[in-house]
Every structure is written in structure tokens, then in C-alpha cells.
Amino acid sequence: MPEGHIPHTKKLTDQQIAQYWRDGYLFPLDLMSARGAQIWRQKLEQVEQDYREAGMPRTLNTYKRINAQCVMPFAYELASHPDLLDMVEGILGPDILIYGAEFFIKEASTPHIVSMHQDLTYWGLGATDNLVTAWIALSEVNQKSGCMQFVAGSHNHQILPHEDTFAENNLLSRGQEIQVEVKEEEKTDIVLAPGQVSLHHGRTIHGSGPNSSADRRIGFVIRYVNPKVMQEVAQKDYAMLVRGADRNQHFIHYAPPRTLFAPEHLALYEEMRAAQKQAMMAGANKQSFLYD
Ligand SMILES: O=C(O)CCC(=O)C(=O)O
């Protein structure tokens, strides 16, 4: 078996699909072995080593946090892996596009957090049921390392009011925080071993605490949509078709990258970023470290 190969996994069962729609999330799903996860982590860490000081138009962190699938072939490769798409198909149906992929990393013993929020608040995609996030653990993800916490059933709300905090230790683009009280007992810890995955709905309330462990906490996070989804705020938007067909053509399609940070993909990246910034930063009164 080649290194980094993801062994065959099953499609979601009817029971798993029902659980997702009941709770607004589903975990843990076995995608690959710990050794497999280690190999994808090494690919990331090699890029970090080679490109941190490479003088690219934007910081490496920006490329890791926004649309990594557009400029890093290995990010596209993992995001489009057939076994992962099999899981996603259980939620979205047979036609699947990658909307975005990013690395959510908390360095060892650091105070960074993700405040409680609903993903769809600032994406301009409405309050759709046709978006799902897959969060792949590339390290140990537990209470100590700052795992995500989900509020079961919270996807049944529409998009609730959020406040932009722009707090320094908050990893979200606007430090946005939901303006409803979330009690500790309402939160479920999403503990994942390396190679396991969680799926969550775009309206599920979630966040995560700091990493007080001795290792980095690394999540590779992919947002998938089906062709019914539409950009409602920005003038245009982009997505990559990875399974089935797109009969609606609401998104501009683009080809996967072949080499790391190729000039034509860096140019495309800027176009996508400019378009998506219109939605992501609409109404904000400060600049974001991610959309400056
Ligand atoms: O990685 C985290 O702790 C939070 C990620 C998150 O908010 C998301 O994937 O929607």
C-alpha cells in the first residue's frame, strides 16, 4: 500500500445520516490510520519549512487559512479524496463542490481560541442546509489540545446575532462571537484521534478552547457545498467541482493546482479572495488579519 494511502471506508449509514440531521454534527468517523495522518501532516510541515520565508505575495498563514485547495496540490488531493467524498455524499447528495479548505492550527501551549459561532454568519451563502464541513484531525485532538465543542441541535436555529470582537487570541476572521448564552453542559467535546473526521452543519454553534498540550493541534478543514448553494452577498464566487455535475452554475469553477504556489494559481487566489472578502468583511468596522 503506498504511503499516505487512505484505506477504503464505508459510505455513511442511514443511521449516521439521521444522527447528523438530528444533532447538526457527526463524529468520530474513521478516514485513515494514524500513520496516514502523520504522512499528510509531514506534507504540511514540509511546506511550512520550505515556504515560510519564500517572499510570496501573502503570508504563508493566509494561504493555509483561506482557500488552501487553490494553491497547494496536497490540500486539494486530501480534500477530494474519494473516501471523504463518500461521507460527504451522504449529507449533500451526489453533486459536490469544494467551497474552501484550510488548516486550523493551534501551536503547542498557546492561548488561541475559536469563539462560539455559526459558520454561515459571514459567508454570504444564506442559511443553507446544503453546506457541510469536514474537519480532519492531523494530530491528537482532545480537551487538552483544544478540540472543537458543538451544541447539539443548534443547527435548527436560523443564523443568530454575532458580535465582532477582533480579539487578538481569536482565530476567526472577525473574532465573531454568537450573542446567545451557551452553557458548558450544552457543549459536546469533539475528541478525535489522528486520521478521524467530524462533520458539521453550517448553522451548528461551535467553538474551541486553547491548546495546553505539548504538540500542535492540526485540523484540515474542508467546506463542501452542493450546486443548490448560491453566493448572495459578493458579486461572484468560486468553487471546485469534485463529484457529479453542476447544473446550476452558481459558482465559477477552476482547475486544481498542479504545483505549489504556481503564479497562475496565485493570481486566481487573489481574484477569489477579493470576491469572497466582499461577503466575509461586509459591515465590519475593522480590518481582519485574514482579509487585510
Ligand atoms: O478548529 C477549530 O477549533 C474551529 C474550526 C471551526 O470553527 C470550523 O471548522 O468551522
mmCIF file with all atom_site columns, all heavy atoms in Angstrom, residues 83-100:
data_model
loop_
_atom_site.group_PDB
_atom_site.id
_atom_site.type_symbol
_atom_site.label_atom_id
_atom_site.label_alt_id
_atom_site.label_comp_id
_atom_site.label_asym_id
_atom_site.label_entity_id
_atom_site.label_seq_id
_atom_site.pdbx_PDB_ins_code
_atom_site.Cartn_x
_atom_site.Cartn_y
_atom_site.Cartn_z
_atom_site.occupancy
_atom_site.B_iso_or_equiv
_atom_site.pdbx_formal_charge
_atom_site.auth_seq_id
_atom_site.auth_comp_id
_atom_site.auth_asym_id
_atom_site.auth_atom_id
_atom_site.pdbx_PDB_model_num
ATOM 1   N N   . ASP A 1 83  ? -12.865 8.629  -0.520 1.00 0.00 ? 83  ASP A N   1
ATOM 2   C CA  . ASP A 1 83  ? -13.499 8.121  0.708  1.00 0.00 ? 83  ASP A CA  1
ATOM 3   C C   . ASP A 1 83  ? -14.130 9.246  1.524  1.00 0.00 ? 83  ASP A C   1
ATOM 4   O O   . ASP A 1 83  ? -15.178 9.069  2.146  1.00 0.00 ? 83  ASP A O   1
ATOM 5   C CB  . ASP A 1 83  ? -12.471 7.362  1.560  1.00 0.00 ? 83  ASP A CB  1
ATOM 6   C CG  . ASP A 1 83  ? -12.145 6.017  0.934  1.00 0.00 ? 83  ASP A CG  1
ATOM 7   O OD1 . ASP A 1 83  ? -12.870 5.598  0.009  1.00 0.00 ? 83  ASP A OD1 1
ATOM 8   O OD2 . ASP A 1 83  ? -11.158 5.388  1.353  1.00 0.00 ? 83  ASP A OD2 1
ATOM 9   N N   . LEU A 1 84  ? -13.484 10.400 1.494  1.00 0.00 ? 84  LEU A N   1
ATOM 10  C CA  . LEU A 1 84  ? -14.051 11.559 2.192  1.00 0.00 ? 84  LEU A CA  1
ATOM 11  C C   . LEU A 1 84  ? -15.313 12.030 1.450  1.00 0.00 ? 84  LEU A C   1
ATOM 12  O O   . LEU A 1 84  ? -16.337 12.340 2.061  1.00 0.00 ? 84  LEU A O   1
ATOM 13  C CB  . LEU A 1 84  ? -12.984 12.656 2.233  1.00 0.00 ? 84  LEU A CB  1
ATOM 14  C CG  . LEU A 1 84  ? -13.223 13.874 3.104  1.00 0.00 ? 84  LEU A CG  1
ATOM 15  C CD1 . LEU A 1 84  ? -13.546 13.493 4.539  1.00 0.00 ? 84  LEU A CD1 1
ATOM 16  C CD2 . LEU A 1 84  ? -11.989 14.773 3.060  1.00 0.00 ? 84  LEU A CD2 1
ATOM 17  N N   . LEU A 1 85  ? -15.229 12.044 0.130  1.00 0.00 ? 85  LEU A N   1
ATOM 18  C CA  . LEU A 1 85  ? -16.401 12.464 -0.661 1.00 0.00 ? 85  LEU A CA  1
ATOM 19  C C   . LEU A 1 85  ? -17.556 11.486 -0.467 1.00 0.00 ? 85  LEU A C   1
ATOM 20  O O   . LEU A 1 85  ? -18.724 11.892 -0.480 1.00 0.00 ? 85  LEU A O   1
ATOM 21  C CB  . LEU A 1 85  ? -16.032 12.579 -2.144 1.00 0.00 ? 85  LEU A CB  1
ATOM 22  C CG  . LEU A 1 85  ? -14.981 13.650 -2.482 1.00 0.00 ? 85  LEU A CG  1
ATOM 23  C CD1 . LEU A 1 85  ? -14.749 13.702 -3.993 1.00 0.00 ? 85  LEU A CD1 1
ATOM 24  C CD2 . LEU A 1 85  ? -15.391 15.025 -1.973 1.00 0.00 ? 85  LEU A CD2 1
ATOM 25  N N   . ASP A 1 86  ? -17.247 10.197 -0.249 1.00 0.00 ? 86  ASP A N   1
ATOM 26  C CA  . ASP A 1 86  ? -18.324 9.234  0.045  1.00 0.00 ? 86  ASP A CA  1
ATOM 27  C C   . ASP A 1 86  ? -19.075 9.642  1.305  1.00 0.00 ? 86  ASP A C   1
ATOM 28  O O   . ASP A 1 86  ? -20.304 9.573  1.355  1.00 0.00 ? 86  ASP A O   1
ATOM 29  C CB  . ASP A 1 86  ? -17.745 7.822  0.245  1.00 0.00 ? 86  ASP A CB  1
ATOM 30  C CG  . ASP A 1 86  ? -17.414 7.140  -1.078 1.00 0.00 ? 86  ASP A CG  1
ATOM 31  O OD1 . ASP A 1 86  ? -17.806 7.662  -2.147 1.00 0.00 ? 86  ASP A OD1 1
ATOM 32  O OD2 . ASP A 1 86  ? -16.752 6.088  -1.034 1.00 0.00 ? 86  ASP A OD2 1
ATOM 33  N N   . MET A 1 87  ? -18.352 10.063 2.314  1.00 0.00 ? 87  MET A N   1
ATOM 34  C CA  . MET A 1 87  ? -19.008 10.508 3.565  1.00 0.00 ? 87  MET A CA  1
ATOM 35  C C   . MET A 1 87  ? -19.872 11.737 3.287  1.00 0.00 ? 87  MET A C   1
ATOM 36  O O   . MET A 1 87  ? -21.024 11.821 3.718  1.00 0.00 ? 87  MET A O   1
ATOM 37  C CB  . MET A 1 87  ? -17.957 10.881 4.615  1.00 0.00 ? 87  MET A CB  1
ATOM 38  C CG  . MET A 1 87  ? -17.139 9.721  5.119  1.00 0.00 ? 87  MET A CG  1
ATOM 39  S SD  . MET A 1 87  ? -15.887 10.363 6.288  1.00 0.00 ? 87  MET A SD  1
ATOM 40  C CE  . MET A 1 87  ? -15.014 8.851  6.675  1.00 0.00 ? 87  MET A CE  1
ATOM 41  N N   . VAL A 1 88  ? -19.276 12.686 2.571  1.00 0.00 ? 88  VAL A N   1
ATOM 42  C CA  . VAL A 1 88  ? -19.976 13.956 2.309  1.00 0.00 ? 88  VAL A CA  1
ATOM 43  C C   . VAL A 1 88  ? -21.223 13.718 1.448  1.00 0.00 ? 88  VAL A C   1
ATOM 44  O O   . VAL A 1 88  ? -22.264 14.365 1.627  1.00 0.00 ? 88  VAL A O   1
ATOM 45  C CB  . VAL A 1 88  ? -18.993 14.944 1.633  1.00 0.00 ? 88  VAL A CB  1
ATOM 46  C CG1 . VAL A 1 88  ? -19.696 16.183 1.125  1.00 0.00 ? 88  VAL A CG1 1
ATOM 47  C CG2 . VAL A 1 88  ? -17.889 15.321 2.618  1.00 0.00 ? 88  VAL A CG2 1
ATOM 48  N N   . GLU A 1 89  ? -21.136 12.742 0.539  1.00 0.00 ? 89  GLU A N   1
ATOM 49  C CA  . GLU A 1 89  ? -22.278 12.446 -0.345 1.00 0.00 ? 89  GLU A CA  1
ATOM 50  C C   . GLU A 1 89  ? -23.516 12.061 0.466  1.00 0.00 ? 89  GLU A C   1
ATOM 51  O O   . GLU A 1 89  ? -24.648 12.368 0.088  1.00 0.00 ? 89  GLU A O   1
ATOM 52  C CB  . GLU A 1 89  ? -21.885 11.328 -1.328 1.00 0.00 ? 89  GLU A CB  1
ATOM 53  C CG  . GLU A 1 89  ? -22.952 11.075 -2.354 1.00 0.00 ? 89  GLU A CG  1
ATOM 54  C CD  . GLU A 1 89  ? -22.490 10.200 -3.512 1.00 0.00 ? 89  GLU A CD  1
ATOM 55  O OE1 . GLU A 1 89  ? -21.273 10.119 -3.781 1.00 0.00 ? 89  GLU A OE1 1
ATOM 56  O OE2 . GLU A 1 89  ? -23.370 9.588  -4.151 1.00 0.00 ? 89  GLU A OE2 1
ATOM 57  N N   . GLY A 1 90  ? -23.299 11.405 1.610  1.00 0.00 ? 90  GLY A N   1
ATOM 58  C CA  . GLY A 1 90  ? -24.427 11.030 2.472  1.00 0.00 ? 90  GLY A CA  1
ATOM 59  C C   . GLY A 1 90  ? -25.191 12.252 2.968  1.00 0.00 ? 90  GLY A C   1
ATOM 60  O O   . GLY A 1 90  ? -26.376 12.172 3.289  1.00 0.00 ? 90  GLY A O   1
ATOM 61  N N   . ILE A 1 91  ? -24.518 13.389 3.035  1.00 0.00 ? 91  ILE A N   1
ATOM 62  C CA  . ILE A 1 91  ? -25.160 14.614 3.543  1.00 0.00 ? 91  ILE A CA  1
ATOM 63  C C   . ILE A 1 91  ? -25.639 15.512 2.390  1.00 0.00 ? 91  ILE A C   1
ATOM 64  O O   . ILE A 1 91  ? -26.742 16.038 2.416  1.00 0.00 ? 91  ILE A O   1
ATOM 65  C CB  . ILE A 1 91  ? -24.161 15.427 4.416  1.00 0.00 ? 91  ILE A CB  1
ATOM 66  C CG1 . ILE A 1 91  ? -23.545 14.540 5.516  1.00 0.00 ? 91  ILE A CG1 1
ATOM 67  C CG2 . ILE A 1 91  ? -24.832 16.677 4.996  1.00 0.00 ? 91  ILE A CG2 1
ATOM 68  C CD1 . ILE A 1 91  ? -24.510 13.959 6.504  1.00 0.00 ? 91  ILE A CD1 1
ATOM 69  N N   . LEU A 1 92  ? -24.804 15.677 1.368  1.00 0.00 ? 92  LEU A N   1
ATOM 70  C CA  . LEU A 1 92  ? -25.107 16.673 0.319  1.00 0.00 ? 92  LEU A CA  1
ATOM 71  C C   . LEU A 1 92  ? -25.713 16.082 -0.942 1.00 0.00 ? 92  LEU A C   1
ATOM 72  O O   . LEU A 1 92  ? -26.178 16.827 -1.801 1.00 0.00 ? 92  LEU A O   1
ATOM 73  C CB  . LEU A 1 92  ? -23.828 17.425 -0.078 1.00 0.00 ? 92  LEU A CB  1
ATOM 74  C CG  . LEU A 1 92  ? -23.173 18.320 0.972  1.00 0.00 ? 92  LEU A CG  1
ATOM 75  C CD1 . LEU A 1 92  ? -21.990 19.068 0.354  1.00 0.00 ? 92  LEU A CD1 1
ATOM 76  C CD2 . LEU A 1 92  ? -24.170 19.314 1.570  1.00 0.00 ? 92  LEU A CD2 1
ATOM 77  N N   . GLY A 1 93  ? -25.656 14.762 -1.100 1.00 0.00 ? 93  GLY A N   1
ATOM 78  C CA  . GLY A 1 93  ? -26.102 14.152 -2.348 1.00 0.00 ? 93  GLY A CA  1
ATOM 79  C C   . GLY A 1 93  ? -24.940 13.992 -3.313 1.00 0.00 ? 93  GLY A C   1
ATOM 80  O O   . GLY A 1 93  ? -23.781 14.265 -2.967 1.00 0.00 ? 93  GLY A O   1
ATOM 81  N N   . PRO A 1 94  ? -25.231 13.553 -4.564 1.00 0.00 ? 94  PRO A N   1
ATOM 82  C CA  . PRO A 1 94  ? -24.172 13.117 -5.472 1.00 0.00 ? 94  PRO A CA  1
ATOM 83  C C   . PRO A 1 94  ? -23.343 14.231 -6.124 1.00 0.00 ? 94  PRO A C   1
ATOM 84  O O   . PRO A 1 94  ? -22.285 13.949 -6.687 1.00 0.00 ? 94  PRO A O   1
ATOM 85  C CB  . PRO A 1 94  ? -24.938 12.345 -6.553 1.00 0.00 ? 94  PRO A CB  1
ATOM 86  C CG  . PRO A 1 94  ? -26.324 12.914 -6.506 1.00 0.00 ? 94  PRO A CG  1
ATOM 87  C CD  . PRO A 1 94  ? -26.578 13.329 -5.095 1.00 0.00 ? 94  PRO A CD  1
ATOM 88  N N   . ASP A 1 95  ? -23.799 15.463 -6.072 1.00 0.00 ? 95  ASP A N   1
ATOM 89  C CA  . ASP A 1 95  ? -23.068 16.556 -6.728 1.00 0.00 ? 95  ASP A CA  1
ATOM 90  C C   . ASP A 1 95  ? -22.363 17.394 -5.657 1.00 0.00 ? 95  ASP A C   1
ATOM 91  O O   . ASP A 1 95  ? -23.018 18.000 -4.806 1.00 0.00 ? 95  ASP A O   1
ATOM 92  C CB  . ASP A 1 95  ? -24.038 17.433 -7.529 1.00 0.00 ? 95  ASP A CB  1
ATOM 93  C CG  . ASP A 1 95  ? -24.804 16.619 -8.566 1.00 0.00 ? 95  ASP A CG  1
ATOM 94  O OD1 . ASP A 1 95  ? -24.198 15.719 -9.180 1.00 0.00 ? 95  ASP A OD1 1
ATOM 95  O OD2 . ASP A 1 95  ? -26.019 16.855 -8.726 1.00 0.00 ? 95  ASP A OD2 1
ATOM 96  N N   . ILE A 1 96  ? -21.039 17.405 -5.729 1.00 0.00 ? 96  ILE A N   1
ATOM 97  C CA  . ILE A 1 96  ? -20.276 18.001 -4.613 1.00 0.00 ? 96  ILE A CA  1
ATOM 98  C C   . ILE A 1 96  ? -19.216 18.972 -5.143 1.00 0.00 ? 96  ILE A C   1
ATOM 99  O O   . ILE A 1 96  ? -18.449 18.637 -6.054 1.00 0.00 ? 96  ILE A O   1
ATOM 100 C CB  . ILE A 1 96  ? -19.582 16.899 -3.776 1.00 0.00 ? 96  ILE A CB  1
ATOM 101 C CG1 . ILE A 1 96  ? -20.624 15.901 -3.246 1.00 0.00 ? 96  ILE A CG1 1
ATOM 102 C CG2 . ILE A 1 96  ? -18.785 17.499 -2.634 1.00 0.00 ? 96  ILE A CG2 1
ATOM 103 C CD1 . ILE A 1 96  ? -20.025 14.699 -2.531 1.00 0.00 ? 96  ILE A CD1 1
ATOM 104 N N   . LEU A 1 97  ? -19.157 20.151 -4.536 1.00 0.00 ? 97  LEU A N   1
ATOM 105 C CA  . LEU A 1 97  ? -18.101 21.126 -4.842 1.00 0.00 ? 97  LEU A CA  1
ATOM 106 C C   . LEU A 1 97  ? -17.331 21.441 -3.555 1.00 0.00 ? 97  LEU A C   1
ATOM 107 O O   . LEU A 1 97  ? -17.924 21.495 -2.469 1.00 0.00 ? 97  LEU A O   1
ATOM 108 C CB  . LEU A 1 97  ? -18.688 22.420 -5.386 1.00 0.00 ? 97  LEU A CB  1
ATOM 109 C CG  . LEU A 1 97  ? -19.541 22.317 -6.648 1.00 0.00 ? 97  LEU A CG  1
ATOM 110 C CD1 . LEU A 1 97  ? -21.013 22.551 -6.314 1.00 0.00 ? 97  LEU A CD1 1
ATOM 111 C CD2 . LEU A 1 97  ? -19.103 23.335 -7.692 1.00 0.00 ? 97  LEU A CD2 1
ATOM 112 N N   . ILE A 1 98  ? -16.030 21.668 -3.719 1.00 0.00 ? 98  ILE A N   1
ATOM 113 C CA  . ILE A 1 98  ? -15.246 22.198 -2.597 1.00 0.00 ? 98  ILE A CA  1
ATOM 114 C C   . ILE A 1 98  ? -15.424 23.706 -2.627 1.00 0.00 ? 98  ILE A C   1
ATOM 115 O O   . ILE A 1 98  ? -15.098 24.361 -3.629 1.00 0.00 ? 98  ILE A O   1
ATOM 116 C CB  . ILE A 1 98  ? -13.741 21.864 -2.742 1.00 0.00 ? 98  ILE A CB  1
ATOM 117 C CG1 . ILE A 1 98  ? -13.512 20.354 -2.697 1.00 0.00 ? 98  ILE A CG1 1
ATOM 118 C CG2 . ILE A 1 98  ? -12.936 22.574 -1.649 1.00 0.00 ? 98  ILE A CG2 1
ATOM 119 C CD1 . ILE A 1 98  ? -12.057 19.951 -3.006 1.00 0.00 ? 98  ILE A CD1 1
ATOM 120 N N   . TYR A 1 99  ? -15.928 24.267 -1.513 1.00 0.00 ? 99  TYR A N   1
ATOM 121 C CA  . TYR A 1 99  ? -16.040 25.725 -1.435 1.00 0.00 ? 99  TYR A CA  1
ATOM 122 C C   . TYR A 1 99  ? -14.730 26.308 -0.906 1.00 0.00 ? 99  TYR A C   1
ATOM 123 O O   . TYR A 1 99  ? -14.250 27.330 -1.393 1.00 0.00 ? 99  TYR A O   1
ATOM 124 C CB  . TYR A 1 99  ? -17.225 26.113 -0.541 1.00 0.00 ? 99  TYR A CB  1
ATOM 125 C CG  . TYR A 1 99  ? -17.387 27.608 -0.447 1.00 0.00 ? 99  TYR A CG  1
ATOM 126 C CD1 . TYR A 1 99  ? -17.693 28.354 -1.587 1.00 0.00 ? 99  TYR A CD1 1
ATOM 127 C CD2 . TYR A 1 99  ? -17.207 28.273 0.753  1.00 0.00 ? 99  TYR A CD2 1
ATOM 128 C CE1 . TYR A 1 99  ? -17.814 29.734 -1.518 1.00 0.00 ? 99  TYR A CE1 1
ATOM 129 C CE2 . TYR A 1 99  ? -17.324 29.650 0.828  1.00 0.00 ? 99  TYR A CE2 1
ATOM 130 C CZ  . TYR A 1 99  ? -17.624 30.376 -0.318 1.00 0.00 ? 99  TYR A CZ  1
ATOM 131 O OH  . TYR A 1 99  ? -17.734 31.744 -0.253 1.00 0.00 ? 99  TYR A OH  1
ATOM 132 N N   . GLY A 1 100 ? -14.149 25.656 0.098  1.00 0.00 ? 100 GLY A N   1
ATOM 133 C CA  . GLY A 1 100 ? -12.874 26.150 0.632  1.00 0.00 ? 100 GLY A CA  1
ATOM 134 C C   . GLY A 1 100 ? -12.239 25.109 1.528  1.00 0.00 ? 100 GLY A C   1
ATOM 135 O O   . GLY A 1 100 ? -12.927 24.226 2.046  1.00 0.00 ? 100 GLY A O   1
#
